[in-house]
Amino acid sequence: PTERDWRCVFYVLNCEVVTFKAALQNEKTKLDWTVLCDQEVDYFVVERSIDGVNFSQADMIPGRPVINAAESYSATDEVGLVTADIIYYRLKTVSRNGKIKLSNILVLHLNKKTATEIQVLPNPVKSRLQLIINSDMNAIAQVYIIDGTGKVVQKCTENVLQGSNTFIYSQTDNLQAGTYYMRVNTGVKVFTKKFSVIK
């Protein structure tokens, strides 16, 4: 595979959630997502769960009449009264013709971290990859996926907020099976996690 920027390469599957991200700050979850659709979206529903099974509506965002072009959206969820250590989010996309599509489930840890660390979920990865960054400061992070030979095969730049940040990427389903390394460079610290891709 050749090196590519995740923001420049998209794959259309009716209405594809290209990225889905969440960051916890001051008892609020900031959610951002980018979609690429070949039909108009009526609205998005952000759904929240504390057990990963039973979901309820946290917010509803109107869609824009844009097709075959990447569109970015955002929402905010108040979580100050949530007593669980983990919140699960998913995105429901409802098209103009009534079709519904659910995103992968995004996991956000509410427990406060005193040091920066990263996690890659699931491991091994079969299609979509989830990156969790618990950061002790705001940072612009350079995120790289490196194959077993040391070659950078995918990269992107993320705005990381102090607290828990979760990013879902759909483009990792194009990686070949094998061993990879996730490297995150915050400008101050560099973190590396080993993970595997299976098909």
Side-chain angles (χ1 to χ4, degrees):
T2 58
E3 182 177 325
R4 60 175 72 90
D5 190 315
W6 293 354
R7 284 179 171 74
C8 297
V9 181
F10 302 103
Y11 301 90
V12 179
L13 288 176
N14 229 358
C15 193
E16 180 76 6
V17 178
V18 180
T19 60
F20 187 23
K21 312 171 187 180
L24 177 67
Q25 196 169 48
N26 299 324
E27 298 187 337
K28 293 182 180 180
T29 301
K30 185 178 185 300
L31 298 119
D32 298 279
W33 63 94
T34 300
V35 295
L36 183 64
C37 304
D38 62 4
Q39 56 186 291
E40 289 188 16
V41 173
D42 193 9
Y43 59 91
F44 298 94
V45 178
V46 177
E47 296 185 327
R48 180 219 286 176
S49 171
I50 59 172
D51 60 9
V53 177
N54 302 295
F55 286 82
S56 59
Q57 180 174 318
D59 203 354
M60 185 173 71
I61 305 297
R64 305 187 194 108
V66 177
I67 60 174
N68 298 323
E71 279 287 292
S72 296
Y73 296 83
S74 63
T76 302
D77 183 30
E78 297 274 355
V79 295
L81 299 179
V82 177
T83 57
D85 292 330
I86 297 175
I87 294 181
Y88 303 86
Y89 287 100
R90 70 182 182 189
L91 190 66
K92 179 188 291 183
T93 303
V94 182
S95 65
R96 298 282 184 187
N97 61 12
K99 289 184 178 180
I100 295 175
K101 184 172 183 179
L102 294 175
S103 73
N104 280 44
I105 295 174
L106 183 152
V107 181
L108 184 67
H109 293 263
L110 297 185
N111 53 315
K112 296 182 179 179
K113 301 290 183 178
T114 57
T116 300
E117 64 178 26
I118 70 170
Q119 290 179 275
V120 176
L121 298 174
N123 191 5
V125 177
K126 191 170 184 180
S127 57
R128 288 169 175 79
L129 177 148
Q130 190 164 153
L131 170 64
I132 299 173
I133 304 176
N134 293 300
S135 179
D136 55 6
M137 62 181 179
N138 294 345
I140 302 297
Q142 303 297 321
V143 180
Y144 304 90
I145 289 183
I146 301 170
D147 67 15
T149 68
K151 182 180 180 180
V152 174
V153 294
Q154 292 185 348
K155 65 178 181 179
C156 70
T157 302
E158 297 293 359
N159 182 25
V160 175
L161 301 181
Q162 183 180 18
S164 181
N165 302 259
T166 303
F167 309 93
I168 288 181
Y169 304 108
S170 63
Q171 291 84 355
T172 51
D173 59 5
N174 295 284
L175 295 176
Q176 301 287 331
T179 300
Y180 294 85
Y181 297 88
M182 173 70 74
R183 181 169 296 167
V184 177
N185 186 345
T186 65
V188 178
K189 302 174 183 177
V190 178
F191 304 89
T192 304
K193 286 285 185 182
K194 183 180 179 180
F195 68 96
S196 300
V197 172
I198 59 174
K199 298 297 182 179

